[in-house]
């Protein structure tokens, strides 16, 4: 068993610091590739097939053929989890265009690289997670769908990184990106929800958000628990006027929000958040089992 981060790279399992790809991989040169972030609990990957579906769709959208079948990818993830030191962790699965000449034409790349890294991922310090995240609304806009569709989970995250830099400068934990029309899209690596008058609201993905797998689950859990849900466009005012706000993501899991642009929210963590967080924990237990 390897004690630190482990990586599966084109068929080989290695300590992550020994896993290398060629410097002329177009994933590095141009961000030409797709990825997924997958959590595992009790050594079982959570919602793995949903992640593979989204990976396949992202790859198809950028005309990239994944050289492994879903069964083979499942075996890769299982092998990686087995080799990892802890029962719980995070896997970054990437498919890059592969090595090729310096020009950006993907036709010149012969073979995609498949990389899966198992490690720990903390999106926000534990203390802050309990106290609630401080958000800013970023001046950096989410890329428009006619530029790069936000539903494609590509290696191109530069505008999210610019938004995060803005959050860092403001002393905040996370930034919210608006779409080109000035309506709420999502966080840098998470979807956003608000609660208003007992109703759970989130922007539809057509507003410029990734089709988050945690988002999908939270909507379902809310419905199962009798909480009214609505996917509707939201403005910045809606964030400021919310009773509760929280973020969702595979890396983030569920994070309550304490403030947005220095406006404190009245409830953090709020009652709806707490119910959903408990339901989320139960789902993980049901799907990933409990180690005896
Ligand atoms: N939006 C963006 C931009 C993300 O990178 C992520 C993380 N994958 C999410 C939302 C949340 O998606 P999921 O719940 O599938 O992890």
């Amino acid at each position: 068993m390897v004690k630190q981060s482990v990586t599966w790279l084109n068929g080989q399992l290695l300590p992550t610091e020994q896993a290398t790809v060629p410097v002329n991989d177009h994933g590095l040169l141009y961000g030409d590739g797709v990825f997924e972030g997958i959590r595992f609990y009790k050594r079982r990957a959570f919602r793995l097939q949903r992640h593979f579906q989204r990976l396949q769709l992202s790859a198809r959208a950028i005309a990239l053929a994944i050289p492994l079948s879903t069964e083979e990818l499942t075996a890769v993830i299982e092998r990686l989890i087995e080799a990892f030191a802890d029962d719980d962790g995070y896997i970054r699965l990437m498919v890059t265009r592969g090595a090729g000449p310096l020009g950006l034409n993907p036709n010149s790349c012969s073979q995609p690289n498949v990389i899966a890294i198992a490690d720990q991922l903390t999106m926000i310090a534990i203390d802050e997670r309990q106290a609630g995240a401080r958000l800013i609304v970023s001046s950096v806009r989410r890329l428009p769908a006619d530029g790069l569709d936000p539903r494609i989970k590509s290696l191109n995250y530069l505008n999210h990184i610019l938004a995060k830099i803005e959050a860092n400068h403001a002393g905040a934990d996370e930034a919210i990106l608006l779409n080109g029309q000035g309506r709420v899209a999502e966080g840098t690596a998470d979807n956003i929800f608000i609660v208003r008058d007992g109703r759970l609201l989130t922007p539809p993905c057509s507003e410029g958000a990734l089709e988050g797998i945690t988002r999908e689950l939270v909507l379902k859990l809310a419905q199962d628990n009798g909480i009214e849900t609505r996917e509707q466009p939201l403005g910045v005012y809606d964030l400021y006027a919310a009773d509760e706000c929280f973020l969702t993501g595979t890396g983030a899991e569920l994070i309550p929000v304490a403030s947005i642009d220095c406006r404190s929210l009245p409830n953090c963590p709020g009652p709806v958040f707490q119910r959903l967080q408990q339901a989320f924990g139960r789902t993980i237990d049901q799907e990933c089992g409990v180690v005896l």
Side-chain angles (χ1 to χ4, degrees):
M1 186 184 293
V2 187
K3 277 278 174 208
Q4 71 275 41
S5 173
V6 272
T7 293
W8 185 98
L9 172 64
N10 298 325
Q12 263 192 303
L13 205 56
L14 299 158
T16 296
E17 66 274 14
Q18 287 171 27
T20 54
V21 288
V23 290
N24 60 342
D25 187 317
H26 281 210
L28 176 62
L29 288 177
Y30 296 112
D32 186 355
V34 292
F35 79 98
E36 279 297 317
I38 301 159
R39 270 201 190 273
F40 57 94
Y41 302 93
K42 321 269 186 213
R43 294 199 187 273
R44 289 177 70 176
F46 187 58
R47 306 239 144 168
L48 188 58
Q49 299 310 315
R50 283 291 294 113
H51 285 286
F52 288 157
Q53 276 167 6
R54 189 170 63 184
L55 185 75
Q56 287 291 354
L57 291 176
S58 295
R60 201 196 296 171
I62 69 159
L64 174 68
I66 299 177
L68 300 185
S69 66
T70 302
E71 292 70 33
E72 288 167 326
L73 285 174
T74 305
V76 168
I77 301 298
E78 284 172 356
R79 224 179 123 198
L80 201 53
I81 292 176
E82 205 182 285
F84 194 61
D86 298 329
D87 291 346
D88 297 353
Y90 176 89
I91 292 172
R92 176 60 54 89
L93 173 62
M94 281 171 276
V95 186
T96 69
R97 191 74 65 180
L102 288 183
L104 64 72
N105 192 343
N107 288 348
S108 56
C109 302
S110 48
Q111 180 65 19
N113 280 315
V114 181
I115 306 154
I117 307 169
D119 207 338
Q120 295 298 346
L121 179 83
T122 316
M123 298 273 295
I124 152 167
I126 299 286
D127 288 354
E128 283 159 19
R129 176 178 274 275
Q130 274 149 14
R134 290 153 303 168
L135 308 188
I136 58 153
V137 176
S138 175
S139 64
V140 180
R141 295 290 168 100
R142 190 72 170 88
L143 294 177
D146 53 3
L148 178 61
D149 196 302
R151 288 169 294 188
I152 303 172
K153 200 162 166 55
S154 79
L155 293 177
N156 189 327
Y157 262 56
L158 199 50
N159 68 323
H160 301 238
I161 290 164
L162 294 176
K164 195 71 169 184
I165 290 171
E166 210 178 335
N168 291 343
H169 276 273
D173 304 303
E174 175 59 322
I176 298 303
L177 290 93
L178 306 178
N179 64 20
Q181 288 69 46
R183 292 190 301 269
V184 176
E186 61 179 343
T188 62
D190 33 71
N191 294 107
I192 184 163
F193 285 83
I194 61 168
V195 177
R196 186 127 186 233
D197 299 329
R199 265 192 221 111
L200 186 66
L201 310 175
T202 191
C205 293
S206 55
E207 289 285 284
L210 183 77
E211 291 178 328
I213 292 170
T214 322
R215 174 188 184 278
E216 174 186 84
L217 174 59
V218 163
L219 282 170
K220 163 93 173 45
L221 291 174
Q223 284 150 18
D224 292 351
N225 282 274
I227 299 164
E228 194 187 326
T229 65
R230 263 194 217 165
E231 294 180 61
Q232 67 172 53
L234 298 175
V236 175
Y237 169 81
D238 296 307
L239 301 185
Y240 294 163
D243 299 326
E244 297 180 38
C245 177
F246 61 90
L247 305 171
T248 66
T250 299
E253 300 176 301
L254 271 61
I255 300 180
V257 171
S259 68
I260 304 164
D261 288 338
C262 297
R263 285 126 175 116
S264 295
L265 292 176
N267 303 290
C268 179
V272 173
F273 172 84
Q274 290 181 49
R275 276 172 70 192
L276 290 169
Q277 194 181 40
Q278 279 162 16
F280 182 67
R282 281 195 299 272
T283 308
I284 290 170
D285 284 347
Q286 277 157 14
E287 293 185 20
C288 295
V290 177
V291 167
L292 298 174

